[in-house]
Amino acid sequence: MSARKRLGVLLSGRGSNFVAIAEAISSGTLQGAEIAVVISNKADALGITAARERHLSAQVIEARERKRSEHDKEIIACLREHRVDLVCLAGYMRLLSPEFVRAFPQRILNIHPSLLPAFPGLDAQQQALEYGVKVSGCTVHFVDEQLDHGVIVLQKTVPVLEEDTVDTLSARILEQEHIAYAEAIARVLSGKYEVVGRRYLPR
Ligand code: GRF
């Protein structure tokens, strides 16, 4: 049997996507993967507590007013030390430096709570509500050097209801995020795809 692929998860807060990935691995929904390290840029992130509870390697690497590239260097070193095959951003609230993106080419995934390219950046659910779209959802995509821009691996949709608030819409999207992320990781780890231009094509 081939060795399990090693995931590095980066987060800054709640960590529900990280927990969903960890649970997909332990339930066998996501096979052939293990979490090698969880890294947070915030010491008080709930996600880092959840990682410790699961007895995973949980590292806090704070920016401490350093330049982005200096902070990223330390994170890259930590990911390499843990021999990470795929980096998963799960509510990691910092932009990555070009050096970081280049250190893991097509090996960094992000999840975003809208149907990209609509509503990139912060408060995507609020942007969707205010714009008045009738359908929204989430996107798992490769990270490139532009914000919320890389090749799309998978999207899931949800309806936007008349009575929705940011909270109710966010919760509906989050439920799909938790399914989408593990599914996208499995697809990428399978290696059975090619990227043609901006298109992710399963093979
Ligand atoms: C999610 O909505 C994700 O799409 C966005 O940040 C949020 C993180 O939530 N990038 P959690 O920390 O995984 O609960």
Side-chain angles (χ1 to χ4, degrees):
M1 212 181 104
S2 57
R4 290 197 287 173
K5 299 283 188 192
R6 298 170 63 79
L7 307 180
V9 179
L10 265 62
L11 53 79
S12 303
R14 186 175 56 182
S16 73
N17 277 288
F18 148 64
V19 169
I21 295 167
E23 282 175 0
I25 292 173
S26 43
S27 70
T29 315
L30 173 53
Q31 295 186 351
E34 63 186 320
I35 296 177
V37 63
V38 178
I39 301 173
S40 172
N41 63 320
K42 300 275 179 206
D44 59 357
L46 287 179
I48 212 76
T49 310
R52 290 198 183 108
E53 280 167 7
R54 285 177 162 70
H55 307 291
L56 295 168
S57 170
Q59 313 284 331
V60 174
I61 303 179
E62 289 181 304
R64 297 194 315 270
E65 290 166 29
R66 281 178 297 177
K67 281 202 313 207
R68 187 181 311 284
S69 58
E70 289 305 311
H71 179 227
D72 280 2
K73 239 184 228 168
E74 198 182 331
I75 295 176
I76 294 167
C78 180
L79 291 168
R80 290 201 168 127
E81 198 179 301
H82 287 84
R83 293 175 285 114
V84 162
D85 298 299
L86 183 67
V87 180
C88 301
L89 307 185
Y92 183 65
M93 300 306 286
R94 271 175 76 82
L95 292 174
L96 302 192
S97 60
E99 292 86 345
F100 194 153
V101 176
R102 284 179 214 142
F104 294 91
Q106 300 285 59
R107 288 275 139 203
I108 309 174
L109 289 175
N110 181 42
I111 187 154
H112 183 77
S114 76
L115 297 175
L116 291 172
F119 317 125
L122 291 176
D123 302 322
Q125 303 93 331
Q126 187 173 345
Q127 292 185 54
L129 264 188
E130 282 173 4
Y131 197 92
V133 292
K134 304 302 179 200
V135 176
S136 190
C138 63
T139 304
V140 183
H141 64 93
F142 285 116
V143 172
D144 66 10
E145 291 179 27
Q146 294 176 53
L147 178 69
D148 298 330
H149 175 268
V151 165
I152 292 171
V153 176
L154 185 154
Q155 293 184 305
K156 291 204 181 281
T157 58
V158 304
V160 180
L161 307 180
E162 231 173 82
E163 60 273 23
D164 264 335
T165 60
V166 173
D167 284 350
T168 57
L169 178 59
S170 300
R172 194 174 308 120
I173 294 173
L174 193 63
E175 210 176 294
Q176 293 306 310
E177 291 186 42
H178 294 163
I179 301 166
Y181 217 163
E183 220 174 289
I185 291 168
R187 288 191 193 180
V188 169
L189 291 182
S190 79
K192 292 182 191 147
Y193 66 91
E194 58 180 317
V195 174
V196 180
R198 282 202 49 91
R199 301 184 70 198
Y200 170 98
L201 301 171
R203 284 286 172 258

